[in-house]
Amino acid sequence: NYSYLYEQFAGLEQIEMLSRPLDSDGDYVPFGLTLLAEDRDGLYRHLVQRNIIPEIQWILPLEYYEPGEDAVYLSEHNLMLQCDQRYDLSQMKYVAEVIREYYECALVYNN
């Protein structure tokens, strides 16, 4: 699941992959694929409306300290897609289609 999603999004210029490809030894299996999206909140709403519930990682506790610029950017743009063993390939294909749909609609809307 992870490798499938990684391959689907590796060439999508609207998002940046925070996660890395799996190593060839297969020593670990991540539960989610983390990415950065400029319009993270819009993408999040789009996914939720289609019954895909991603996670927002790295919410900063601003009441305790003033984070650096990089930490703020990561906090405001990250999204993790679940891809663990609960899901099958058809569900990962659906996730990929929904994300591509979001960016295709945005491209049409902006032109």
Side-chain angles (χ1 to χ4, degrees), residues 14-49:
Q14 295 92 337
I15 60 175
E16 179 182 344
M17 304 293 287
L18 279 183
S19 297
R20 299 292 170 238
L22 293 179
D23 65 350
S24 59
D25 296 333
D27 291 337
Y28 64 95
V29 179
F31 291 121
L33 180 86
T34 306
L35 53 89
L36 295 177
E38 283 301 316
D39 184 22
R40 189 265 319 269
D41 295 339
L43 178 58
Y44 181 88
R45 285 189 299 274
H46 180 78
L47 291 167
V48 169
Q49 289 170 352

Side-chain angles (χ1 to χ4, degrees), residues 4-93:
Y4 177 80
L5 287 181
Y6 188 90
E7 290 169 12
Q8 295 299 306
F9 302 137
L12 191 59
E13 66 184 46
Q14 295 92 337
I15 60 175
E16 179 182 344
M17 304 293 287
L18 279 183
S19 297
R20 299 292 170 238
L22 293 179
D23 65 350
S24 59
D25 296 333
D27 291 337
Y28 64 95
V29 179
F31 291 121
L33 180 86
T34 306
L35 53 89
L36 295 177
E38 283 301 316
D39 184 22
R40 189 265 319 269
D41 295 339
L43 178 58
Y44 181 88
R45 285 189 299 274
H46 180 78
L47 291 167
V48 169
Q49 289 170 352
R50 285 147 185 85
N51 205 29
I52 299 168
I53 312 300
E55 290 183 27
I56 294 174
Q57 305 290 312
W58 306 302
I59 297 172
L60 301 173
L62 300 177
E63 63 274 12
Y64 299 111
Y65 74 106
E66 186 173 331
E69 189 176 312
D70 290 340
V72 170
Y73 183 85
L74 286 172
S75 179
E76 292 175 350
H77 294 90
N78 75 82
L79 199 63
M80 187 176 81
L81 303 169
Q82 299 294 327
C83 59
D84 60 63
Q85 68 274 13
R86 293 175 290 174
Y87 307 103
D88 62 22
L89 182 57
S90 68
Q91 291 166 311
M92 295 299 98
K93 286 181 179 180

